[in-house]
Amino acid sequence: MIIDKLFEKVAQNGHVCVGLDTDYSYLPAAFAQQYPDIEEGLFQFNKAIIDATLDVAACYKVQIAYYESYGLPGLRAYQRTLALLRELKAVTIADIKRGDIAKTAEMYAKAHFTGDFEADFITLSPYMGLDSLTPYLPYVQDHEKGIFVLIRTSNEGAKDIEYLPTGNQRVYHVVGQKINEIGKEYLGACGFSSVGGVMGCTHPDEASEIRRMLSTTFFLIPGYGAQGGKAEDIAKYLHQGNGGVVNSSRGILLAYRKQPNGEAHFAECARNEAIRMRDDILNAL
């Protein structure tokens, strides 16, 4: 199961998920002058970040919208980034947040689990119903793939739907329990499932209850840093120091902007931020 590979990466490298949510405007000025072509600029920037962080990252999350926004050149950069990560045997998460059903979902699964856009994990939204997840499960079962399903997100608007009461629970509790139950069919040797959940860390008061409730669900955790999540909050979502990866995108990609003369050493700054984040979380455990 792919979840065992991710579990091992966390054990070896720590919990950092490097978010390659790369906009061309993030490139340092001199680097952009060197690579004025959108495809080449995005890819070479990503490659520099990957090369600098490979041994200190558990995985990489590539947000497709950033690449779609540039049309075909952007999607070629997206494809090349995923291909490079596969070549380096890194764990990849394609952040696509699909949520359709039936044949459309089958085509999304084929598009992002095979071919040019192949990734190890993809993100999905369950709010059209659990049958929106079904077409992806054969890839989890037979092709060493995994999914991260939105359960409780880190944005303020999560309260609009995810926090609505249903009986003596909230909507996200019900979703989480259903995802945890589905995931039991796809458990790895590590005890977690390749059917994971997106779980924002911005509500630490609920963390211990959630971890108990979703005991076999591996978490993709947004919300650290700028959104207010702290390392000590992250620790509550883990089990014996594992069971989750923590995403940081701009915090790592743009770390150079906080350093004097950082533009000339943007990849080194990204590495230093990933190490700082890794150690911050490990120290909180």
Side-chain angles (χ1 to χ4, degrees), residues 99 125-130 132 149-152 161-162 171-172 175:
S125 172
Y127 285 95
M128 202 168 169
L130 296 181
S132 68
V149 184
L150 300 180
I151 296 176
R152 193 199 64 198
I161 296 173
E162 296 166 21
V171 167
Y172 81 82
V175 172

Side-chain angles (χ1 to χ4, degrees), residues 7 16-17 31 42 65 76 82 84 88 107 115-116 122 152 172 181 212 265 272 275 279:
F7 185 92
V16 176
C17 172
F31 195 83
L42 293 174
R76 285 192 292 268
L82 288 171
L84 173 64
L88 295 171
M107 293 299 101
D116 289 342
I122 59 176
R152 193 199 64 198
Y172 81 82
E181 195 60 33
R212 283 195 302 270
H265 309 284
N272 290 340
I275 290 172
D279 292 349

Side-chain angles (χ1 to χ4, degrees), residues 9-280:
K9 288 284 189 181
V10 170
Q12 293 167 8
N13 295 352
H15 304 81
V16 176
C17 172
V18 176
L20 295 173
D21 304 0
T22 308
D23 188 81
Y24 190 79
S25 68
Y26 296 172
L27 275 59
F31 195 83
Q33 288 177 355
Q34 185 180 355
Y35 296 105
D37 177 75
I38 292 291
E39 175 189 343
E40 202 62 31
L42 293 174
F43 174 71
Q44 292 297 339
F45 181 83
N46 285 351
K47 183 178 185 301
I49 298 294
I50 293 165
D51 289 343
T53 59
L54 190 62
D55 64 329
V56 296
C59 58
Y60 293 83
K61 182 180 75 67
V62 193
Q63 211 325 314
I64 196 170
Y66 284 79
Y67 303 89
E68 289 177 329
S69 70
Y70 291 106
L72 292 178
L75 286 174
R76 285 192 292 268
Y78 177 81
Q79 179 271 323
R80 290 172 66 188
T81 298
L82 288 171
L84 173 64
L85 289 165
R86 283 198 303 275
E87 180 183 325
L88 295 171
K89 297 181 170 34
V91 176
T92 54
I93 304 170
D95 193 0
I96 60 173
K97 294 188 180 74
R98 301 301 194 248
D100 217 317
I101 58 167
K103 196 67 179 179
T104 301
E106 287 181 31
M107 293 299 101
Y108 280 139
K110 180 180 179 182
H112 296 283
F113 280 149
T114 69
D116 289 342
F117 300 149
E118 181 181 356
D120 295 315
F121 289 85
I122 59 176
T123 57
L124 299 174
S125 172
Y127 285 95
M128 202 168 169
L130 296 181
D131 56 345
S132 68
L133 309 181
T134 304
Y136 301 90
L137 298 179
Y139 291 90
V140 178
Q141 179 66 50
D142 300 326
H143 299 285
E144 278 290 302
K145 300 300 182 185
I147 58 178
F148 283 110
V149 184
L150 300 180
I151 296 176
R152 193 199 64 198
T153 53
S154 58
N155 59 308
E156 186 64 27
K159 296 175 182 176
D160 296 341
I161 296 173
E162 296 166 21
Y163 275 73
L164 290 176
T166 170
N168 61 351
Q169 296 182 304
R170 291 168 170 160
V171 167
Y172 81 82
H173 289 131
V174 176
V175 172
Q177 288 165 353
K178 290 181 181 295
I179 299 309
N180 195 66
E181 195 60 33
I182 292 170
K184 289 179 180 177
E185 298 292 320
Y186 309 97
L187 292 178
C190 65
F192 289 98
S193 175
S194 291
V195 175
V198 177
M199 182 63 66
C201 67
T202 47
H203 297 278
D205 52 308
E206 304 164 356
S208 297
E209 176 195 4
I210 288 169
R211 183 73 276 175
R212 283 195 302 270
M213 184 186 302
L214 311 182
S215 59
T216 57
T217 302
F218 196 98
F219 294 147
L220 170 59
I221 305 173
Y224 173 85
Q227 287 183 288
K230 298 179 175 61
E232 52 267 33
D233 303 332
I234 300 293
K236 299 173 185 176
Y237 290 94
L238 304 175
H239 175 67
Q240 296 181 350
N242 210 315
V245 291
V246 185
N247 182 69
S248 177
S249 300
R250 282 174 291 179
I252 291 175
L253 300 183
L254 300 180
Y256 74 88
R257 292 186 177 177
K258 297 180 180 179
Q259 302 299 325
N261 198 33
E263 286 200 4
H265 309 284
F266 71 90
E268 181 182 349
C269 292
R271 176 181 177 79
N272 290 340
E273 173 58 20
I275 290 172
R276 185 209 63 77
M277 178 179 168
R278 177 199 66 185
D279 292 349
D280 187 35

